PDB file of all heavy atoms in Angstrom:
ATOM      1  N   SER A 294      24.217 -21.541 -59.014  1.00 97.00           N
ATOM      2  CA  SER A 294      24.736 -21.478 -60.420  1.00 97.00           C
ATOM      3  C   SER A 294      23.865 -22.057 -61.428  1.00 97.00           C
ATOM      4  O   SER A 294      23.554 -21.563 -62.455  1.00 97.00           O
ATOM      5  CB  SER A 294      26.123 -22.223 -60.499  1.00 97.00           C
ATOM      6  OG  SER A 294      27.069 -21.593 -59.660  1.00 97.00           O
ATOM      7  N   ALA A 295      23.390 -23.370 -61.107  1.00 96.00           N
ATOM      8  CA  ALA A 295      22.461 -23.929 -62.037  1.00 96.00           C
ATOM      9  C   ALA A 295      21.106 -23.134 -62.338  1.00 96.00           C
ATOM     10  O   ALA A 295      20.698 -22.992 -63.514  1.00 96.00           O
ATOM     11  CB  ALA A 295      22.050 -25.322 -61.560  1.00 96.00           C
ATOM     12  N   VAL A 296      20.554 -22.505 -61.236  1.00 96.00           N
ATOM     13  CA  VAL A 296      19.341 -21.819 -61.448  1.00 96.00           C
ATOM     14  C   VAL A 296      19.690 -20.521 -62.207  1.00 96.00           C
ATOM     15  O   VAL A 296      18.893 -20.090 -63.081  1.00 96.00           O
ATOM     16  CB  VAL A 296      18.733 -21.553 -60.037  1.00 96.00           C
ATOM     17  CG1 VAL A 296      17.590 -20.434 -60.190  1.00 96.00           C
ATOM     18  CG2 VAL A 296      18.172 -22.732 -59.396  1.00 96.00           C
ATOM     19  N   LEU A 297      20.792 -19.908 -61.869  1.00 96.00           N
ATOM     20  CA  LEU A 297      21.099 -18.607 -62.477  1.00 96.00           C
ATOM     21  C   LEU A 297      21.294 -18.711 -63.990  1.00 96.00           C
ATOM     22  O   LEU A 297      20.909 -17.889 -64.875  1.00 96.00           O
ATOM     23  CB  LEU A 297      22.229 -17.982 -61.889  1.00 96.00           C
ATOM     24  CG  LEU A 297      21.995 -17.282 -60.545  1.00 96.00           C
ATOM     25  CD1 LEU A 297      23.400 -16.737 -60.015  1.00 96.00           C
ATOM     26  CD2 LEU A 297      21.150 -16.184 -60.629  1.00 96.00           C
ATOM     27  N   VAL A 298      21.903 -19.827 -64.501  1.00 94.00           N
ATOM     28  CA  VAL A 298      22.244 -19.977 -65.949  1.00 94.00           C
ATOM     29  C   VAL A 298      21.162 -20.650 -66.707  1.00 94.00           C
ATOM     30  O   VAL A 298      21.092 -20.686 -67.941  1.00 94.00           O
ATOM     31  CB  VAL A 298      23.603 -20.651 -66.138  1.00 94.00           C
ATOM     32  CG1 VAL A 298      24.688 -19.926 -65.447  1.00 94.00           C
ATOM     33  CG2 VAL A 298      23.607 -22.046 -65.795  1.00 94.00           C
ATOM     34  N   PHE A 299      20.156 -21.271 -66.018  1.00 92.00           N
ATOM     35  CA  PHE A 299      19.079 -21.945 -66.748  1.00 92.00           C
ATOM     36  C   PHE A 299      18.293 -20.931 -67.474  1.00 92.00           C
ATOM     37  O   PHE A 299      17.809 -19.865 -66.934  1.00 92.00           O
ATOM     38  CB  PHE A 299      18.285 -22.720 -65.672  1.00 92.00           C
ATOM     39  CG  PHE A 299      17.316 -23.620 -66.361  1.00 92.00           C
ATOM     40  CD1 PHE A 299      17.740 -24.837 -66.877  1.00 92.00           C
ATOM     41  CD2 PHE A 299      15.987 -23.334 -66.534  1.00 92.00           C
ATOM     42  CE1 PHE A 299      16.851 -25.727 -67.480  1.00 92.00           C
ATOM     43  CE2 PHE A 299      15.041 -24.141 -67.065  1.00 92.00           C
ATOM     44  CZ  PHE A 299      15.477 -25.448 -67.606  1.00 92.00           C
ATOM     45  N   PRO A 300      17.818 -21.177 -68.716  1.00 89.00           N
ATOM     46  CA  PRO A 300      17.060 -20.230 -69.385  1.00 89.00           C
ATOM     47  C   PRO A 300      15.651 -20.218 -68.906  1.00 89.00           C
ATOM     48  O   PRO A 300      14.762 -21.027 -69.269  1.00 89.00           O
ATOM     49  CB  PRO A 300      17.207 -20.737 -70.906  1.00 89.00           C
ATOM     50  CG  PRO A 300      17.457 -22.290 -70.755  1.00 89.00           C
ATOM     51  CD  PRO A 300      18.277 -22.376 -69.562  1.00 89.00           C
ATOM     52  N   SER A 301      15.346 -19.301 -68.108  1.00 89.00           N
ATOM     53  CA  SER A 301      14.032 -19.096 -67.539  1.00 89.00           C
ATOM     54  C   SER A 301      13.838 -17.574 -67.169  1.00 89.00           C
ATOM     55  O   SER A 301      14.912 -16.890 -67.148  1.00 89.00           O
ATOM     56  CB  SER A 301      13.922 -19.922 -66.227  1.00 89.00           C
ATOM     57  OG  SER A 301      12.655 -19.849 -65.675  1.00 89.00           O
ATOM     58  N   GLY A 302      12.695 -17.212 -66.848  1.00 90.00           N
ATOM     59  CA  GLY A 302      12.368 -15.784 -66.561  1.00 90.00           C
ATOM     60  C   GLY A 302      12.971 -15.398 -65.237  1.00 90.00           C
ATOM     61  O   GLY A 302      13.243 -16.182 -64.381  1.00 90.00           O
ATOM     62  N   TRP A 303      13.259 -14.130 -64.978  1.00 92.00           N
ATOM     63  CA  TRP A 303      13.785 -13.661 -63.783  1.00 92.00           C
ATOM     64  C   TRP A 303      12.960 -13.936 -62.568  1.00 92.00           C
ATOM     65  O   TRP A 303      13.495 -14.185 -61.414  1.00 92.00           O
ATOM     66  CB  TRP A 303      14.183 -12.135 -63.852  1.00 92.00           C
ATOM     67  CG  TRP A 303      15.277 -11.935 -64.825  1.00 92.00           C
ATOM     68  CD1 TRP A 303      15.258 -11.335 -66.038  1.00 92.00           C
ATOM     69  CD2 TRP A 303      16.674 -12.300 -64.568  1.00 92.00           C
ATOM     70  NE1 TRP A 303      16.455 -11.382 -66.574  1.00 92.00           N
ATOM     71  CE2 TRP A 303      17.336 -12.011 -65.708  1.00 92.00           C
ATOM     72  CE3 TRP A 303      17.316 -12.925 -63.618  1.00 92.00           C
ATOM     73  CZ2 TRP A 303      18.651 -12.226 -65.812  1.00 92.00           C
ATOM     74  CZ3 TRP A 303      18.644 -13.157 -63.663  1.00 92.00           C
ATOM     75  CH2 TRP A 303      19.415 -12.750 -64.759  1.00 92.00           C
ATOM     76  N   GLU A 304      11.603 -13.856 -62.647  1.00 94.00           N
ATOM     77  CA  GLU A 304      10.760 -14.133 -61.534  1.00 94.00           C
ATOM     78  C   GLU A 304      10.906 -15.634 -61.103  1.00 94.00           C
ATOM     79  O   GLU A 304      10.977 -15.978 -59.957  1.00 94.00           O
ATOM     80  CB  GLU A 304       9.255 -13.780 -61.809  1.00 94.00           C
ATOM     81  CG  GLU A 304       9.093 -12.317 -61.870  1.00 94.00           C
ATOM     82  CD  GLU A 304       8.072 -11.899 -62.852  1.00 94.00           C
ATOM     83  OE1 GLU A 304       7.422 -12.813 -63.592  1.00 94.00           O
ATOM     84  OE2 GLU A 304       7.811 -10.743 -63.072  1.00 94.00           O
ATOM     85  N   ARG A 305      10.966 -16.425 -62.079  1.00 94.00           N
ATOM     86  CA  ARG A 305      11.089 -17.958 -61.844  1.00 94.00           C
ATOM     87  C   ARG A 305      12.526 -18.275 -61.147  1.00 94.00           C
ATOM     88  O   ARG A 305      12.623 -19.063 -60.290  1.00 94.00           O
ATOM     89  CB  ARG A 305      10.877 -18.753 -63.156  1.00 94.00           C
ATOM     90  CG  ARG A 305      11.161 -20.130 -63.024  1.00 94.00           C
ATOM     91  CD  ARG A 305       9.791 -20.878 -63.209  1.00 94.00           C
ATOM     92  NE  ARG A 305       9.918 -22.313 -63.108  1.00 94.00           N
ATOM     93  CZ  ARG A 305       9.540 -22.989 -62.024  1.00 94.00           C
ATOM     94  NH1 ARG A 305       8.862 -22.292 -61.023  1.00 94.00           N
ATOM     95  NH2 ARG A 305       9.726 -24.228 -61.898  1.00 94.00           N
ATOM     96  N   LYS A 306      13.547 -17.464 -61.682  1.00 94.00           N
ATOM     97  CA  LYS A 306      14.860 -17.605 -61.174  1.00 94.00           C
ATOM     98  C   LYS A 306      14.922 -17.228 -59.686  1.00 94.00           C
ATOM     99  O   LYS A 306      15.522 -17.873 -58.837  1.00 94.00           O
ATOM    100  CB  LYS A 306      15.921 -16.842 -61.967  1.00 94.00           C
ATOM    101  CG  LYS A 306      16.339 -17.440 -63.307  1.00 94.00           C
ATOM    102  CD  LYS A 306      17.351 -16.565 -63.979  1.00 94.00           C
ATOM    103  CE  LYS A 306      17.495 -16.935 -65.321  1.00 94.00           C
ATOM    104  NZ  LYS A 306      18.486 -18.001 -65.553  1.00 94.00           N
ATOM    105  N   LEU A 307      14.231 -16.078 -59.447  1.00 96.00           N
ATOM    106  CA  LEU A 307      14.252 -15.624 -58.027  1.00 96.00           C
ATOM    107  C   LEU A 307      13.671 -16.590 -57.117  1.00 96.00           C
ATOM    108  O   LEU A 307      14.003 -16.969 -56.040  1.00 96.00           O
ATOM    109  CB  LEU A 307      13.521 -14.217 -57.925  1.00 96.00           C
ATOM    110  CG  LEU A 307      13.547 -13.638 -56.565  1.00 96.00           C
ATOM    111  CD1 LEU A 307      14.908 -13.375 -55.990  1.00 96.00           C
ATOM    112  CD2 LEU A 307      12.729 -12.314 -56.606  1.00 96.00           C
ATOM    113  N   LEU A 308      12.409 -17.153 -57.584  1.00 96.00           N
ATOM    114  CA  LEU A 308      11.777 -18.219 -56.767  1.00 96.00           C
ATOM    115  C   LEU A 308      12.671 -19.423 -56.652  1.00 96.00           C
ATOM    116  O   LEU A 308      12.765 -20.074 -55.592  1.00 96.00           O
ATOM    117  CB  LEU A 308      10.403 -18.522 -57.406  1.00 96.00           C
ATOM    118  CG  LEU A 308       9.693 -19.649 -56.769  1.00 96.00           C
ATOM    119  CD1 LEU A 308       9.128 -19.216 -55.342  1.00 96.00           C
ATOM    120  CD2 LEU A 308       8.424 -20.064 -57.660  1.00 96.00           C
ATOM    121  N   GLY A 309      13.283 -19.805 -57.721  1.00 96.00           N
ATOM    122  CA  GLY A 309      14.285 -20.981 -57.687  1.00 96.00           C
ATOM    123  C   GLY A 309      15.412 -20.775 -56.767  1.00 96.00           C
ATOM    124  O   GLY A 309      15.739 -21.699 -55.926  1.00 96.00           O
ATOM    125  N   LEU A 310      15.862 -19.541 -56.689  1.00 97.00           N
ATOM    126  CA  LEU A 310      17.029 -19.176 -55.774  1.00 97.00           C
ATOM    127  C   LEU A 310      16.591 -19.231 -54.369  1.00 97.00           C
ATOM    128  O   LEU A 310      17.277 -19.802 -53.429  1.00 97.00           O
ATOM    129  CB  LEU A 310      17.628 -17.814 -56.164  1.00 97.00           C
ATOM    130  CG  LEU A 310      18.445 -17.792 -57.355  1.00 97.00           C
ATOM    131  CD1 LEU A 310      18.747 -16.372 -57.704  1.00 97.00           C
ATOM    132  CD2 LEU A 310      19.685 -18.626 -57.300  1.00 97.00           C
TER     133      LEU A 310
END
Side-chain angles (χ1 to χ4, degrees):
S294 298
V296 168
L297 285 176
V298 304
F299 189 79
S301 184
W303 289 109
E304 290 147 2
R305 181 114 179 106
K306 284 181 192 274
L307 181 60
L308 179 63
L310 288 171

